[in-house]
Amino acid sequence: MPDEWTNKAHAIIVMGVSGCGKSSVGEKLAEALHLAFIEGDALHPAANVEKMSKGIPLTDEDRMPWLDRIGEDIKASLEKREGIIVSCSALKRLYRDRLRAAAGGNLFFVYLEGSRALLMMRMAERKGHFMPASLLDSQLATLEVPSGEPGVVTVDIDDTVEGIAATALKGLASLGITD
């Protein structure tokens, strides 16, 4: 990536359902763009983690404090004129719009899209994650695909993490934020 983009005040959310690779891809993008990475799952209130660990889907009410916390972190980063990358499911347009409002601009999304079969396989292979595979269907049912929304790059996850990240970087470049 060109040096002039490094640490520009852009925020990027790597989004999608559980098992799509948000954290792995987010870390690769952060490395490539020389930006800070925040693991969105680490910002969940303990009550949310407990609920998901028990296989109970989160409600909108459960998610709002978490989304607000992510929005606050993004806003703080942008106010310091620092770019940031955050992993966050951002399943509904309402959630993405809330994050856009909190950020106050310069917020982009990389939507990681994949088949249910591929997502289930990836979730089954994960070790030590609090989100059980049984919640995938509720996440897929909740998902409002961000087609047609501004500042969104959609990337198919049927590739290596490196390949997914490279495709995401090309998509971000097409939006004019990485060159």
Side-chain angles (χ1 to χ4, degrees):
M1 282 303 111
D3 287 338
E4 63 269 16
W5 198 83
T6 302
N7 285 323
K8 286 248 174 116
H10 294 288
I12 300 167
I13 291 179
V14 181
M15 64 159 288
V17 298
S18 189
C20 69
K22 294 182 294 292
S23 300
S24 299
V25 173
E27 288 171 353
K28 286 286 183 198
L29 293 176
E31 182 182 309
L33 297 171
H34 308 284
L35 297 175
F37 173 72
I38 293 178
E39 170 56 63
D41 282 345
L43 302 179
H44 268 295
N48 285 7
V49 174
E50 184 178 341
K51 239 180 144 171
M52 289 183 285
S53 296
K54 292 178 179 177
I56 302 168
L58 297 180
T59 64
D60 286 353
E61 294 75 29
D62 295 326
R63 287 186 177 102
M64 291 309 165
W66 173 62
L67 293 167
D68 290 344
R69 170 78 191 278
I70 290 171
E72 289 166 12
D73 285 5
I74 290 170
K75 184 177 181 183
S77 182
L78 293 176
E79 284 176 348
K80 292 187 286 187
R81 306 274 314 135
E82 295 174 357
I84 190 166
I85 297 178
V86 183
S87 62
C88 172
S89 54
L91 297 175
K92 291 184 178 182
R93 172 101 191 221
L94 169 76
Y95 306 163
R96 295 185 293 276
D97 286 346
R98 190 177 186 106
L99 291 164
R100 287 180 178 107
N106 294 322
L107 179 59
F108 300 88
F109 292 85
V110 173
Y111 167 51
L112 302 180
E113 177 178 63
S115 70
R116 181 185 181 281
L118 180 57
L119 292 161
M120 277 301 240
M121 182 185 76
R122 288 186 176 184
M123 288 183 79
E125 292 172 352
R126 289 199 304 198
K127 304 283 186 260
H129 196 279
F130 63 82
M131 179 73 114
S134 63
L135 286 181
L136 178 60
D137 287 331
S138 74
Q139 283 208 327
L140 289 169
T142 301
L143 176 66
E144 295 171 3
V145 175
S147 300
E149 291 180 29
V152 176
V153 173
T154 299
V155 180
D156 189 305
I157 64 166
D158 194 11
D159 198 351
T160 63
V161 171
E162 292 77 15
I164 296 165
T167 302
L169 288 168
K170 286 178 193 160
L172 291 167
S174 76
L175 295 177
I177 65 167
T178 61
D179 52 25

